[in-house]
Amino acid sequence: MAHCRPHLLPFKRLQLQLKIYRITKFVDNSRTQRFNMSSSSSSASSAFSIPLSPKANPDIRIPKFIYGTAWKKEHTAELVYLAIRAGFRAFDAAAQPKHYNEKGMGEGIRKAIEEGLVRREDLFIQTKYTPPSGQDPNNMPYDSTSSLEEQVINTLSSSLTNLTFPFTIQEPYIDSLLLHSPLPTADLTLQAWCTLASYVPAKIRSLGISNTTLPILQTLLASSQAFTPPLPLPSFCQNRFYGGTGYEVDLRRFCRERGIVFQSFWTLSGNPALLKSGVVGEVAAALEGWVERGEEKAVALYGLVVGLGGVSVLNGTTNMGRMVGDLKGLDVLRGLVEGEWEARWVRWMEVFKGVIGEI
């Protein structure tokens, strides 16, 4: 394994690198355009039509919905299996037994593969390294007294064991591994990132971070580029989408500009006010007769969030009917937006952006 910990930069130097990075704003225009156009009103359908693919790993394609497995406990395997039958092809977990059953997610996927419902290469599988502060001290995938590097390595080993599948000629791998949260200091966050980076691309295809702030993401991006050779850049950022974080307007803009796919969670459960907003109600009313009864508001909000561009939404429903309804509903909405609703969708998106403060 390649070690890059000795090259970690002191925090003050990282701050300087970040200032330089902000000035230069290195952007690959050819790929960033794909994300920028997703939020442009000149093409109302582009956010639905353009595949979500991070700049750091353009070979990865992820759907607009990711099935979230948090808090499903002993029902995880069954629900993941049902989600695959419903049509989900992307799955999110964490090596955090306190809130996730990563092994159960693997069992559900394994059953579907064994039955020929899906192939491993058809799926996007994501999990997370969770620091000790987010773990149950009596049920962890690593020894909390071990070094950070050992914690990360043991987490990866445990996750690869849980997420090994039959009928594939490839060695076990994980499509995306996220830091579940930043660590207490910038240096520790970079040390964890560096350890994960040494397994890219053989065991881990791409990296990301969850529950972060814009300054931390900026520092992580800038410091990754400061290494020789550069470390893998963030491909994904998974954060709550709700009023308490201002709907992450600035963070999502930064992600779009840098080709980082933003993964939205708490999209329904955290937004009762948005579900009651006029624009969601108007879209939902227009969807009556197009989607399953009772699905209108959920599909409307999901569609408006996807319409912001560069966003994939975590969906954790435990109801098979809702699984099918959400997937089909978003596909129906895409067809309408690309057709007869194109002009209306531009107006709805402008109103929605005003509601969430994205002006």
Side-chain angles (χ1 to χ4, degrees):
M1 183 187 72
H3 293 273
C4 53
R5 192 195 315 178
H7 304 290
L8 288 174
L9 303 175
F11 184 68
K12 288 185 178 179
R13 188 176 171 194
L14 289 177
Q15 296 284 45
L16 176 61
Q17 290 285 355
L18 179 56
K19 289 179 181 178
I20 295 172
Y21 174 76
R22 284 171 173 166
I23 293 171
T24 58
K25 291 187 177 179
F26 172 78
V27 176
D28 180 348
N29 291 328
S30 63
R31 286 179 178 164
T32 302
Q33 185 180 13
R34 290 165 45 189
F35 282 80
N36 286 343
M37 68 184 295
S38 296
S39 61
S40 171
S41 61
S42 63
S43 178
S45 63
S46 60
F48 289 90
S49 302
I50 296 175
L52 288 176
S53 180
K55 175 184 172 183
N57 198 332
D59 291 334
I60 289 181
R61 298 285 188 274
I62 66 170
K64 301 302 188 290
F65 274 137
I66 300 173
Y67 189 71
T69 64
W71 307 302
K72 292 174 174 57
K73 299 185 178 180
E74 68 273 12
H75 302 295
T76 301
E78 177 188 4
L79 289 168
V80 167
Y81 173 74
L82 290 176
I84 291 175
R85 287 183 55 191
F88 281 89
R89 293 296 181 265
F91 296 87
D92 173 82
Q96 184 197 30
K98 179 180 179 180
H99 295 310
Y100 291 84
N101 182 352
E102 186 185 64
K103 182 178 180 181
M105 184 177 82
E107 290 171 352
I109 293 172
R110 192 171 300 113
K111 179 180 179 181
I113 290 175
E114 289 173 346
E115 293 184 4
L117 297 178
V118 71
R119 302 173 301 169
R120 169 62 183 94
E121 53 266 37
D122 298 327
L123 302 176
F124 173 85
I125 298 175
Q126 176 173 275
T127 190
K128 309 178 190 77
Y129 160 72
T130 305
S133 59
Q135 301 278 9
D136 177 349
N138 298 313
N139 187 9
M140 302 170 65
Y142 54 79
D143 181 353
S144 62
T145 65
S146 62
S147 69
L148 175 57
E149 183 178 41
E150 290 173 332
Q151 291 176 20
V152 173
I153 292 171
N154 288 334
T155 291
L156 176 60
S157 177
S158 173
S159 295
L160 286 169
T161 298
N162 290 333
L163 303 173
T164 295
F165 307 106
F167 310 123
T168 176
I169 61 174
Q170 294 182 325
E171 291 293 317
Y173 66 94
I174 295 166
D175 293 288
S176 171
L177 203 148
L178 309 182
L179 296 179
H180 208 159
S181 67
L183 278 76
T185 69
D187 283 351
L188 288 174
T189 300
L190 284 170
Q191 183 179 334
W193 190 266
C194 184
T195 303
L196 290 173
S198 66
Y199 292 95
V200 177
K203 297 297 184 182
I204 305 170
R205 297 295 191 253
S206 59
L207 301 178
I209 188 167
S210 181
N211 298 299
T212 188
T213 63
L214 177 56
I216 289 174
L217 181 59
Q218 289 173 322
T219 300
L220 184 59
L221 189 68
S223 57
S224 295
Q225 291 177 314
F227 280 83
T228 304
L231 298 180
L233 300 180
S235 290
F236 303 101
C237 175
Q238 184 184 111
N239 268 32
R240 293 173 178 85
F241 178 91
Y242 79 128
T245 58
Y247 305 104
E248 298 290 15
V249 171
D250 293 334
L251 178 61
R252 286 187 294 101
R253 181 181 296 114
F254 179 83
C255 286
R256 281 198 305 272
E257 292 171 352
R258 271 64 178 184
I260 300 169
V261 176
F262 182 88
Q263 299 177 357
S264 162
F265 71 95
W266 276 22
T267 311
L268 282 188
S269 60
N271 288 298
L274 281 185
L275 286 168
K276 296 176 182 177
S277 66
V279 64
V280 170
E282 190 175 341
V283 176
L287 282 169
E288 290 181 4
W290 289 100
V291 300
E292 294 291 328
R293 180 179 290 274
E295 287 285 316
E296 296 91 350
K297 282 197 172 184
V299 171
L301 182 55
Y302 282 141
L304 289 165
V305 173
V306 167
L308 295 170
V311 178
S312 188
V313 177
L314 270 76
N315 183 320
T317 182
T318 59
N319 182 284
M320 178 68 164
R322 290 291 301 273
M323 293 178 188
V324 174
D326 289 345
L327 288 166
K328 288 186 175 179
L330 197 62
D331 193 53
V332 167
L333 182 57
R334 177 188 60 80
L336 292 167
V337 168
E338 291 177 346
E340 59 190 275
W341 283 12
E342 185 170 1
R344 298 171 74 186
W345 189 251
V346 170
R347 179 177 62 82
W348 283 330
M349 284 305 309
E350 289 176 350
V351 174
F352 184 64
K353 289 178 180 180
V355 171
I356 64 172
E358 186 165 334
I359 301 171

